[in-house]
Amino acid sequence: MAKKIKPIEEEHHNSERIVSDNIELKLKEAEEQINTYIKDLQRLQAEFENHIKRSNKEKENISLITKHEICKKILPIVDEFEITIKVAEKTSEKGHITEGIKMVFNHLYKLLNDQGMNSIGSIGKKFDPFVHEVVKKVDSNEEEGIILEEIQKGYLFQGNLLRPAKVIISNGKKEVTTENVHLEVENE
């Protein structure tokens, strides 16, 4: 009977070895697949980091080019200011100086306007907290919240607020009636 048990034990042992070899083979394949995935992820991560570096460098270059172009467009205005200053030093007529300064200002304003910057019209309009900053409130004949004076112009750049306008607004009519005056006099 011992002879019959040995072949079964050998067969069982061979089956276990086959299963074990199969598991080891599958494990090695899985490890190789994992290593491939890790290498792919590392490569993708490196590519992504390089992409970010390239994008940042491109942004810096665009910013530099933009600044260069703006300076290039402002140079003629700087030249006009220099000419105006030279003329102002040589002349005693204020009219020519004023005209020269107005010319330079209009040139600069047109350049900024062409780039998408526009002033916010304020005087006579209703106060808007999104584009106006109240500096002072005063009594007036205008209804409450109407802008009476602009202390500093506000500007939009391509429809977005660049700087709010600093304004003085109306408190509304503060009428003193004759009844109030008589009451105040009687109370004294």
Side-chain angles (χ1 to χ4, degrees):
M1 281 200 201
K3 287 184 181 181
K4 289 184 181 179
I5 295 175
K6 258 188 172 180
I8 292 175
E9 283 178 10
E10 281 180 25
E11 208 173 282
H12 181 65
H13 185 60
N14 285 340
S15 292
E16 283 179 358
R17 197 174 25 171
I18 290 172
V19 168
S20 176
D21 288 347
N22 232 1
I23 291 173
E24 284 180 29
L25 181 64
K26 296 264 186 202
L27 185 60
K28 280 185 179 179
E29 288 174 358
E31 285 175 351
E32 288 174 5
Q33 189 67 38
I34 288 170
N35 288 334
T36 301
Y37 289 150
I38 289 173
K39 286 178 184 174
D40 287 347
L41 286 173
Q42 288 171 337
R43 182 181 46 78
L44 286 172
Q45 183 179 9
E47 286 177 7
F48 183 69
E49 288 172 0
N50 288 336
H51 171 74
I52 289 173
K53 288 176 186 175
R54 276 193 312 274
S55 294
N56 288 338
K57 186 69 176 170
E58 286 174 11
K59 286 178 188 176
E60 287 174 15
N61 287 340
I62 289 170
S63 176
L64 187 62
I65 290 168
T66 302
K67 288 176 185 177
H68 179 266
E69 288 300 311
I70 289 171
C71 288
K72 199 167 144 182
K73 289 180 179 181
I74 289 177
L75 277 178
I77 297 168
V78 170
D79 294 339
E80 290 175 4
F81 267 119
E82 287 177 347
I83 292 168
T84 303
I85 289 169
K86 286 179 185 174
V87 169
E89 290 172 346
K90 292 180 182 177
T91 186
S92 61
E93 261 188 66
K94 291 184 179 182
H96 292 296
I97 297 169
T98 305
E99 288 302 314
I101 292 171
K102 284 181 183 177
M103 179 184 74
V104 175
F105 173 78
N106 289 335
H107 189 178
L108 177 61
Y109 194 80
K110 183 183 180 324
L111 170 74
L112 295 172
N113 203 328
D114 290 346
Q115 300 306 310
M117 189 181 89
N118 299 304
S119 65
I120 300 168
S122 298
I123 297 176
K125 294 187 177 177
K126 187 86 172 152
F127 169 73
D128 179 353
F130 294 106
V131 293
H132 300 119
E133 179 182 323
V134 175
V135 174
K136 187 176 180 183
K137 292 182 178 182
V138 297
D139 295 341
S140 78
N141 291 331
E142 294 292 331
E143 84 177 64
E144 186 176 0
I146 296 296
I147 297 169
L148 303 173
E149 189 177 337
E150 191 174 58
I151 303 299
Q152 184 181 52
K153 282 190 180 223
Y155 291 93
L156 299 173
F157 179 73
Q158 297 184 355
N160 297 312
L161 184 66
L162 186 61
R163 180 178 78 189
K166 293 183 179 183
V167 297
I168 296 175
I169 65 170
S170 172
N171 258 346
K173 294 182 180 180
K174 298 289 182 184
E175 294 181 25
V176 178
T177 62
T178 53
E179 291 175 6
N180 291 344
V181 172
H182 291 297
L183 287 175
E184 287 176 15
V185 172
E186 288 176 10
N187 287 337
E188 290 178 1

